[in-house]
Amino acid sequence: MLLALLLAVAQPTAASVLNSNVAEPGVRADAMALARVVNPEGATIDMLVRNFEATLRSGIKANEDYQALEEEYPGISEAIVQGMLKVMKADAISDMPELRQRYARFFADHFSPEEVAQLIGFYSSEAGLRLVLAKFAKIDAEPFVTGAADDPD
């Protein structure tokens, strides 16, 4: 019963994903194009979900209450992780437009149109794309999240 309840709560709702290719009023289209190039949706979402999963599994493993629950209900921890991953991925997808808007505002505020064009040129090249994908592949947020959980101040 508890497992069914947890899984029902963890089911994601249909994400209403906005068109992340459209810049908000006042944000330059070139800055939005750069935001898309340096934050490819697949790599960004994969990184967020991967880090969330690692942190969640680590937290469950270190929590005595979860361990007791697992002993009483074998497999419940994995069911919780899988349910939460679905929710996290849906949230990450729905958050992509706002993430890109923030990057676009930053780029528009700090770089001229000429500089943005140069950045797009580099990050769209084979070398630039490898750099972007390597960045997302290597990000490990677990130490940061664990430190924040241990010391909320």
Side-chain angles (χ1 to χ4, degrees):
M1 177 68 175
L2 179 59
L3 178 60
L5 178 61
L6 287 170
L7 290 175
V9 171
Q11 289 300 312
T13 58
S16 60
V17 179
L18 303 174
N19 183 352
S20 62
N21 294 330
V22 177
E24 68 184 18
V27 174
R28 296 189 332 243
D30 63 334
M32 179 54 74
L34 178 57
R36 283 193 310 272
V37 169
V38 299
N39 294 292
E41 187 165 310
T44 303
I45 291 169
D46 288 348
M47 179 271 303
L48 291 170
V49 171
R50 182 183 68 246
N51 278 283
F52 178 78
E53 179 178 10
T55 303
L56 183 59
R57 287 185 187 282
S58 175
I60 287 174
K61 187 176 180 180
N63 186 293
E64 291 178 10
D65 291 334
Y66 273 111
Q67 294 308 308
L69 190 62
E70 181 66 32
E71 196 169 304
E72 189 171 346
Y73 301 99
I76 195 165
S77 295
E78 185 61 24
I80 291 170
V81 168
Q82 293 305 315
M84 292 302 295
L85 286 175
K86 290 177 186 176
V87 172
M88 174 58 184
K89 186 170 185 175
D91 284 347
I93 291 168
S94 68
D95 289 345
M96 281 302 295
E98 176 58 29
L99 175 69
R100 287 206 175 123
Q101 293 291 348
R102 288 179 183 186
Y103 273 96
R105 285 191 301 271
F106 175 84
F107 295 144
D109 289 347
H110 293 87
F111 298 102
S112 70
E114 294 78 22
E115 291 169 323
V116 169
Q118 290 175 351
L119 289 166
I120 290 172
F122 171 72
Y123 285 111
S124 296
S125 72
E126 187 177 327
L129 182 59
R130 283 196 325 255
L131 184 63
V132 167
L133 295 177
K135 173 187 81 167
F136 284 103
K138 299 294 182 189
I139 291 177
D140 179 9
E142 187 175 358
F144 172 75
V145 174
T146 303
D150 291 344
D151 182 14
D153 292 330

